Amino acid sequence: HVSLFHMLFFNLPPDDAFITTSLEKAMYLVDESGVREYNTLKEKGYYNQILSSSAVLSLQGDSVRIDKDRFMYYGTQRIERGSTIQYRRLVTTGSLRQVPRSENNPHGLIITGWKTLDNTAIRDERKRSF
């Protein structure tokens, strides 16, 4: 559940319809804390920047640590733009609460109190131009 949410929220190509569909699916897996983060990013123009720069964002999950109902998610985000690739460390935390299973939430869990603890740049690479 935790990995699925992060995949839907952070794997984003420069395709407005795909971004909208993916984020709609992600919102079924998280409480208002995820909706707040989505709205903040949208207001800052984050998704428009993805589209205008033709950036491709992908997330490689490193691990998920679960202790009772709390989790820590560790991953590496890759942001590919025209001439550069940036790698960022991603660490998030939250709690898991059981809810009834549904078509939109097949695991019967919802992430609550989700927040990003670390999203710092690890390194930048210049892409080769031929």
Side-chain angles (χ1 to χ4, degrees):
H1 184 85
V2 172
S3 294
L4 176 60
F5 168 75
H6 284 81
M7 180 192 74
L8 290 168
F9 198 88
F10 290 103
N11 285 327
L12 303 172
D15 178 329
D16 191 39
F18 184 95
I19 291 172
T20 299
T21 300
S22 185
L23 292 171
E24 284 175 357
K25 290 177 182 178
M27 293 303 109
Y28 285 107
L29 308 179
V30 68
D31 71 355
E32 67 275 356
S33 60
V35 175
R36 270 194 311 271
E37 182 64 21
Y38 164 72
N39 287 332
T40 298
L41 291 170
K42 188 174 181 179
E43 287 172 13
K44 290 181 178 180
Y46 178 75
Y47 302 106
N48 287 333
Q49 289 174 356
I50 293 170
L51 297 171
S52 66
S53 67
S54 295
V56 177
L57 284 67
S58 57
L59 181 65
Q60 176 64 49
D62 297 329
S63 65
V64 178
R65 189 180 82 212
I66 299 177
D67 184 21
K68 297 191 182 192
D69 66 342
R70 299 274 316 155
F71 71 85
M72 294 282 289
Y73 178 91
Y74 301 89
T76 303
Q77 188 176 30
R78 181 179 188 268
I79 304 170
E80 183 175 350
R81 295 183 180 92
S83 61
T84 61
I85 301 172
Q86 182 179 60
Y87 294 89
R88 301 183 68 83
R89 176 179 299 110
L90 180 67
V91 180
T92 69
T93 189
S95 296
L96 294 170
R97 186 180 77 216
Q98 290 187 332
V99 296
R101 291 175 190 254
S102 70
E103 186 175 316
N104 294 314
N105 189 338
H107 301 119
L109 296 169
I110 194 163
I111 294 170
T112 62
W114 180 64
K115 62 182 173 180
T116 300
L117 300 177
D118 187 9
N119 190 12
T120 55
I122 300 170
R123 72 179 187 279
D124 292 327
E125 295 177 2
R126 295 222 26 98
K127 290 168 70 173
R128 285 198 253 196
S129 58
F130 296 96

